[in-house]
């Protein structure tokens, strides 16, 4: 389903990035960081326009010929980015929301671990395996 999933901290530093193709990881780092500008625009527009502040799902941030990039922001300003292939026309908006909800739950489990230091990169093997399951479509 997804080709890349990233968790970005509130200071826009990467906390976790996983890709199906490890050779293209640098390319996905670039795509994820360029999407952060769109995330900031959507957050500031929602704040000014009186939109629903509780809505965490930002939807499609932008698309290229190869990929579609979706965004989600938690209440603590942690950003989740999911990159899917543009050729995947079977993926519905509802399924993307479910992937973000699952990712948010996994992230909450990591942060609640007493041995995790907030702000550090995520190195949990359980989190990595669960993200790989999300990317494979096994939610």
């Amino acid at each position: 389903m997804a080709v890349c999933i990233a968790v970005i901290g509130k200071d826009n530093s990467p906390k976790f990035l996983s890709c199906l193709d490890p050779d293209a990881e640098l390319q996905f780092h670039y795509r994820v960081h360029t999407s952060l500008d769109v995330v900031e625009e959507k957050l500031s527009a929602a704040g000014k326009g009186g939109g629903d502040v509780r809505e965490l799902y930002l939807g499609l941030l932008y698309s290229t010929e190869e990929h579609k990039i979706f965004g989600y922001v938690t209440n603590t300003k942690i950003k989740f980015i999911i990159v899917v292939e543009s050729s995947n026309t079977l993926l519905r908006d509802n399924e993307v929301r479910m992937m973000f909800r699952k990712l948010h739950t996994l992230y909450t489990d990591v942060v609640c671990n007493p041995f995790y230091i907030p702000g550090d990169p995520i190195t949990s093997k359980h989190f990595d395996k669960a993200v790989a399951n999300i990317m494979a479509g096994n939610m």
Side-chain angles (χ1 to χ4, degrees):
M1 287 187 105
V3 292
C4 180
I5 293 180
V7 178
I8 308 295
K10 57 182 139 190
D11 57 350
N12 289 342
S13 63
K15 302 300 177 203
F16 180 83
L17 189 118
S18 179
C19 303
L20 284 180
D21 182 13
D23 296 333
E25 190 170 324
L26 186 60
Q27 174 192 4
F28 285 115
H29 262 285
Y30 174 73
R31 291 197 191 278
V32 166
H33 269 302
T34 55
S35 67
L36 292 178
D37 292 334
V38 181
V39 169
E40 296 300 328
E41 286 176 20
K42 286 195 174 210
L43 289 177
S44 66
K48 290 178 186 172
D52 189 5
V53 182
R54 295 170 297 157
E55 179 60 40
L56 304 175
Y57 177 66
L58 299 175
L60 180 67
L61 299 176
Y62 74 93
S63 62
T64 63
E65 290 180 12
E66 303 95 24
H67 301 105
K68 292 180 183 175
I69 293 102
F70 294 90
Y72 182 97
V73 178
T74 67
N75 291 334
T76 57
K77 303 297 182 226
I78 301 297
K79 299 156 195 85
F80 300 133
I81 307 293
I82 294 180
V83 181
V84 298
E85 291 180 335
S86 291
S87 60
N88 189 352
T89 57
L90 299 175
L91 189 65
R92 295 188 318 246
D93 200 46
N94 219 13
E95 293 167 334
V96 175
R97 284 179 188 264
M98 288 302 295
M99 289 183 351
F100 278 121
R101 282 191 199 115
K102 179 71 174 167
L103 187 61
H104 193 172
T105 302
L106 290 170
Y107 176 77
T108 304
D109 290 345
V110 167
V111 173
C112 288
N113 183 344
F115 298 107
Y116 175 74
I117 299 168
D120 281 359
I122 299 171
T123 57
S124 168
K125 290 180 183 178
H126 174 72
F127 185 80
D128 196 32
K129 188 184 294 184
V131 167
N133 282 336
I134 291 173
M135 285 196 294
N138 304 331
M139 291 188 280

